[in-house]
Structures are given as structure tokens and as C-alpha cells.
Amino acid sequence: MLSLNKLSYISKAACIGAAVSAIAACSSTPSTPLAGVKSHTLSNAVIYQTSSKEYPVLSSFVYGQAISALPTRFANGDVVVMDVDETVLDNSTYQKERESAGLGYSSQSWAEWVKREEATLVPGVADFIDEVIQRNGKVALITNRNKQLDNHTWNNLLAHGLPLTVSNTCVVGRTAEDKEAVGHEGMVNDKDLRRMQLTQGKIACSNTSTDAASTWAAPHTIIMQVGDNIEDVGGVTQESADIESLMPRVGTDIFILPNPMYGSW
């Protein structure tokens, strides 16, 4: 007879396998909106993300597992690092609008979408964030959205009623410095610099006031990383990721959500 731990492991593996299969079966061209234009056929990737029953099941399952892995109460300085797009905020409307107009991704259209502040929540994320905050935890949202758009990201998050404050949540978008850091010692992907700054108490949160800045101006310990891309894990790239060595951490301090629409792959 299988033990409960063994069944749990098999359940996680099955979930991950399903997500990978779904992604492999879908196309991956990023896309966005335009009203009044002739409708074009949507890619399987966008249909899967917006219409399938499997997507919310997988996403909610991953977040349920992540809640189970949280400490009963966070120690001071412990923090969960999360990506934003397709991890907290669901941008499939952007993808659907662009593809419906026969268009792909562009930095301008993406910025316009972010400024609309209309992204919805990824299934399961609200419960997860609620649990983190209730357990005295903090959340660092390390996103590859341009840092100049961070205020729009923050407004979009608050509009959903999440229990986020400038004291418990840090939003930090990407700058040229993050890209230029790649290749330097300890800097493998373009989020590693910000992760290091977080652990050193040097993170530049865009949403913090002067009074709240002190809560982030101290070294933090990253106890969990959540994202939709393998590069949302520190020190990893799509090309260099060693899945065999990462798997023991999946379901413990690494959680990856399905996203067939785009990625580093």
C-alpha cells in the first residue's frame, strides 16, 4: 500500500506532467487588444488558457500545494518571491485581444495593456496570498514588467482586494541594470540581481512610502519561489536548468504554474 507521502508525491508529479503536456501541445506566440478589427483564429495556447477547465484546475492545485508548504508562522524577514504575469495577474485578455486582431506582442501594446490595469487574478492566487499574510509573511513581487510601470501593477493588484500593504509587499520591476548584471558573478538570469538585493536589504520597492521603506531595508530570507517560468527560480535559465536536481525542491520551495502562451522556451 502506498504511503500518504508517496501519494502526495505522485499527485504532484501527475500535475506537473499534465501542465508540461498541455504546454507542449500548444503554440507560444505572445499577443494583445484592438476592437472593431476582423477576428482571427486564436492559437491553441490562448484557447487553453482562457477556456479550458484544465488550466484553473492545475493552477488552483499548484497554489493549494504551495499553501500546504507554507510555515505555520513566518519568521521575521522570511519572504515569498513571486513573479507577477501569469503567476499573480492573468493577462490572457491581452493575448486574446491581440490574436483576435491578427497581431502579436509589442512592447508598446503591452505597456498600454498594463496601464489599463485590467488583468484578472490567476486561479488560486488570492487564497495563497491571504495565507501568506495571515501567517505574518511578506511577498516580493519580482516582475519583468518595466519598472516604470510598477505603479500600474500595484493599482491593478489592489483593485482585486488582496490584503497587500507597502509593509508586507514589495513590487519591483526590471531595469537595464538587471539585464546588464547577467553574466556577472552569481547573476545567471535577469531576476537574480533583485533576489540578491532582497537578501541584502537593498531591494528598491516601487510601491513603498518613506515610512514603510524601513520594513524592506533589512536582509530577507527567501523561503519560497513561485512563477510560471523556470527562470522565476534563482540561478536558473531555460538552457541550464537541471530538472533532476530541481525536482526535490518542487512542491517544497519551488512552485511552477502552467502558461502555454509564452515563456523563455
Side-chain angles (χ1 to χ4, degrees):
M1 183 179 290
L2 293 172
S3 67
L4 288 176
N5 286 339
K6 186 66 173 178
L7 284 170
S8 177
Y9 177 81
I10 292 173
S11 177
K12 292 177 192 175
C15 172
I16 294 165
V20 171
S21 296
I23 290 171
C26 299
S27 59
S28 63
T29 302
S31 333
T32 24
L34 277 195
V37 180
K38 178 182 177 181
S39 180
H40 289 70
T41 301
L42 297 177
S43 66
N44 286 338
V46 170
I47 293 172
Y48 176 86
Q49 195 87 350
T50 58
S51 302
S52 77
K53 300 302 186 292
E54 291 83 358
Y55 170 67
V57 166
L58 288 174
S59 180
S60 297
F61 177 83
V62 171
Y63 272 120
Q65 293 294 305
I67 289 173
S68 298
L70 291 173
T72 303
R73 187 167 179 81
F74 281 60
N76 288 337
D78 283 354
V79 61
V80 173
V81 171
M82 304 180 73
D83 175 46
V84 171
D85 296 311
E86 282 37 85
T87 298
V88 180
L89 293 178
D90 179 348
N91 302 284
S92 56
T93 296
Y94 166 84
Q95 305 287 347
K96 188 173 183 178
E97 288 177 350
R98 293 295 284 180
E99 286 196 3
S100 294
L103 300 170
Y105 169 88
S106 71
S107 57
Q108 179 180 345
S109 67
W110 173 251
E112 290 170 352
W113 161 254
V114 172
K115 290 175 182 177
R116 284 165 58 181
E117 301 174 6
E118 294 177 2
T120 57
L121 293 180
V122 168
V125 73
D127 289 342
F128 176 74
I129 289 178
D130 282 345
E131 287 292 334
V132 171
I133 302 306
Q134 287 178 19
R135 301 183 193 200
N136 195 44
K138 299 173 77 172
V139 177
L141 298 173
I142 298 180
T143 171
N144 275 352
R145 290 181 170 195
N146 189 303
K147 189 172 179 64
Q148 295 179 348
L149 298 171
D150 282 355
N151 285 339
H152 294 288
T153 300
W154 183 236
N155 291 339
N156 198 164
L157 292 164
L158 294 180
H160 290 294
L162 296 172
L164 306 180
T165 68
V166 293
S167 296
N168 64 32
T169 306
C170 172
V171 177
V172 54
R174 185 172 61 181
T175 67
E177 183 183 12
D178 294 306
K179 300 177 185 179
E180 293 164 0
V182 176
H184 290 74
E185 184 177 358
M187 303 293 112
V188 177
N189 66 49
D190 59 8
K191 291 187 174 183
D192 283 334
L193 177 61
R194 283 168 285 170
R195 294 187 191 97
M196 182 185 73
Q197 291 169 336
L198 177 63
T199 62
Q200 295 176 339
K202 299 177 180 179
I203 194 74
C205 307
S206 296
N207 61 311
T208 52
S209 63
T210 302
D211 293 337
S214 60
T215 67
W216 292 98
H220 284 72
T221 300
I222 299 172
I223 66 166
M224 184 180 291
Q225 299 175 83
V226 186
D228 65 302
N229 190 314
I230 201 68
E231 295 186 7
D232 292 325
V233 177
V236 174
T237 65
Q238 187 70 226
E239 295 75 21
S240 69
D242 183 344
I243 300 304
E244 185 175 349
S245 66
L246 289 174
M247 280 308 298
R249 297 173 58 194
V250 174
T252 302
D253 68 287
I254 294 174
F255 292 87
I256 303 295
L257 294 147
N259 173 15
M261 297 187 297
Y262 62 88
S264 57
W265 33 271

